Amino acid sequence: MKFIDETNVIVIAGKGGDGIISFRREANVDKGGPDGGDGGDGGDVYFVGDPGQNTLLPFYYQNKLVAESGENGRPKNQYGADGQDLIVKVPLGTMVYNGDDLIADVVSQEKYLIAKGGHGGKGNPRFKSSTNTAPRICENGTPGQKFELHLVLKVLADVGFVGKPSAGNSTILGEISNAKPKIADYDFTTLVPQLGLVKYFDNSYVVADLPGLIENAHLGKGLGIQFLKHIERCKIIAHVIDFGSEEKNPIDDYEIINNELKSYNLLLEKLPQVVIANKKDLPAFSLNLSKFKEKYPNINVFEYSALMAENLDELKGYLFETLQSAKDSIAVQQIHESQNIVKITLNKKPIQIKKIDNETYELFGDDIDNIYNKIPVISLDNLWRFNAKLKALGVFELIKQNNIKDGSTIKIHDYEFIWNAEEF
């Protein structure tokens, strides 16, 4: 399956159902009164983390996510049914952006509210009073929230394997976990992040093998910066380094990879790190190991041979113990704190008047849109209520301040009325 870690989607929550105007009409029932039902609420859109997914590919092809709308009300006080919520499964580690704002960071299998459905409109019994026993008033349901979102996947793993191409990352991942990565004797066999679940007695943890890094990867060289971001989620970094090949220099490889981590994100180099010295079965291993320890005496080095796989359980335990001790790492806490969810505050569009021609003007604004969407002009009572809402907003006063002449046409979407200052 193709690996996609960034894509755009359109999310639309369900519209609320419309309330209706209805009166009870039955034989032998005098003055039945209003019986129009309310509309149902629109469905919400939720994202749920799915550990079985590791790509955003489904959203690359199906990028419009729409929840069900609520049903309209019916006569005999029958309320419309609520629209079903849309539950969307996304890979764990999916970050949801609205513009530059992070609105959700899907790091668990709980439900994350992404878009709220609209409220159902009221039927005419809701407007019955002692002075208006037969109201011809109803409300439409409000639209659900609509967002154009940017999804970014950063794989969620406890241990991140990093190393230069052909260091043995994929082989070791396949030996200690349930992953089945592609393994071959050439560079860049790993083209996308690979995840594996490691079982260690009654415990388990997730290991991610990131595609081989080369010098200047943070500038886009090799497989580039697009995969460096996946390391940000890891709690510890495990350098897999070839210590056995005579043509390789483990010290240079370690320093190059660390420089890439530092260049991409200053916090990454502060994460707890271990070194897995691979290819213990080759003759040059001992000499390279002694040189490395001489220069870096405080770095934890685990000696291993992916070919022999003799101390497999020791390697699993070594990574697990390092992971346990890293839970209180300041660097880990700082990275996670930097990814806190930001709440979005949407600014309302103010009421504006646009001149179309000498005799026609159009009104804009979020508050005006809300009134237009909510109050259908289908009865005289609704028209009065519509005008009362506009007046309360100060719309008529604004028209007067703009010196609009009597007889001019005022448009609000597809609704039009003729302006007369004395009548309004």
Side-chain angles (χ1 to χ4, degrees), residues 242-251 283-294:
D242 181 349
F243 273 67
S245 302
E246 294 182 359
E247 66 273 13
K248 299 289 181 69
N249 186 328
I251 294 176
F285 183 88
S286 298
L287 179 59
N288 284 332
L289 181 63
S290 62
K291 289 180 179 178
F292 188 90
K293 286 187 174 181
E294 182 179 350

Side-chain angles (χ1 to χ4, degrees), residues 82-94:
D82 292 343
Q84 286 191 346
D85 295 336
L86 179 65
I87 309 297
V88 182
K89 292 185 176 181
V90 298
L92 286 172
T94 300

Side-chain angles (χ1 to χ4, degrees), residues 19-304:
I20 67 167
I21 298 172
S22 174
F23 293 90
R24 187 177 181 185
R25 294 289 186 267
E26 293 182 27
N28 304 316
V29 177
D30 185 35
K31 300 179 181 179
D35 69 349
D38 295 349
D41 291 338
D44 302 331
V45 179
Y46 292 91
F47 282 2
V48 176
D50 181 5
Q53 295 188 33
N54 59 5
T55 176
L56 295 174
L57 181 63
F59 307 104
Y60 184 78
Y61 295 110
Q62 180 59 44
N63 65 349
K64 193 171 185 179
L65 309 172
V66 184
E68 187 177 55
S69 294
E71 291 184 356
N72 294 338
R74 292 184 290 273
K76 299 183 180 179
N77 289 308
Q78 295 181 71
Y79 286 15
D82 292 343
Q84 286 191 346
D85 295 336
L86 179 65
I87 309 297
V88 182
K89 292 185 176 181
V90 298
L92 286 172
T94 300
M95 305 176 77
V96 185
Y97 288 91
N98 186 346
D100 294 328
D101 295 312
L102 178 66
I103 63 171
D105 191 0
V106 185
V107 295
S108 71
Q109 297 181 53
E110 65 183 82
K111 294 199 301 185
Y112 293 78
L113 179 61
I114 303 300
K116 185 70 177 172
H119 294 296
K122 297 176 182 178
N124 62 330
R126 297 282 191 173
F127 302 96
K128 183 178 178 181
S129 67
S130 59
T131 57
N132 189 359
T133 58
R136 295 184 176 275
I137 301 173
C138 67
E139 289 182 347
N140 287 338
T142 58
Q145 292 180 317
K146 178 180 178 180
F147 300 116
E148 294 184 12
L149 304 176
H150 183 60
L151 306 185
V152 178
L153 173 61
K154 294 184 180 180
V155 296
L156 205 60
D158 298 305
V159 182
F161 278 1
V162 297
K164 298 192 75 175
S166 298
N169 306 38
S170 299
T171 303
I172 296 174
L173 179 69
E175 291 172 346
I176 67 174
S177 75
N178 62 348
K180 304 296 179 185
K182 181 179 179 180
I183 299 171
D185 190 23
Y186 55 83
D187 292 349
F188 297 115
T189 54
T190 301
L191 300 178
V192 301
Q194 302 285 329
L195 292 177
L197 181 68
V198 179
K199 293 284 188 180
Y200 180 64
F201 295 104
D202 294 331
N203 302 293
S204 63
Y205 53 93
V206 179
V207 176
D209 173 24
L210 286 308
L213 301 178
I214 62 174
E215 191 168 7
N216 290 324
H218 70 284
L219 298 177
K221 296 292 182 66
L223 293 175
I225 196 172
Q226 67 185 104
F227 294 122
L228 274 170
K229 66 185 176 188
H230 294 288
I231 306 173
E232 291 181 325
R233 298 284 193 175
C234 301
K235 297 181 178 66
I236 66 172
I237 294 175
H239 292 260
V240 179
I241 301 176
D242 181 349
F243 273 67
S245 302
E246 294 182 359
E247 66 273 13
K248 299 289 181 69
N249 186 328
I251 294 176
D252 286 348
D253 290 351
Y254 174 76
E255 292 175 346
I256 286 172
I257 297 301
N258 254 344
N259 184 59
E260 293 308 311
L261 299 178
K262 179 180 179 180
S263 299
Y264 174 72
N265 185 327
L266 293 177
L267 290 176
L268 289 182
E269 67 165 350
K270 297 179 182 179
L271 286 174
Q273 297 187 11
V274 297
V275 171
I276 300 175
N278 191 24
K279 305 188 180 181
K280 185 180 179 181
D281 51 292
L282 297 181
F285 183 88
S286 298
L287 179 59
N288 284 332
L289 181 63
S290 62
K291 289 180 179 178
F292 188 90
K293 286 187 174 181
E294 182 179 350
K295 183 163 186 181
Y296 294 104
N298 298 322
I299 296 293
N300 293 323
V301 179
F302 186 90
E303 302 174 28
Y304 186 72

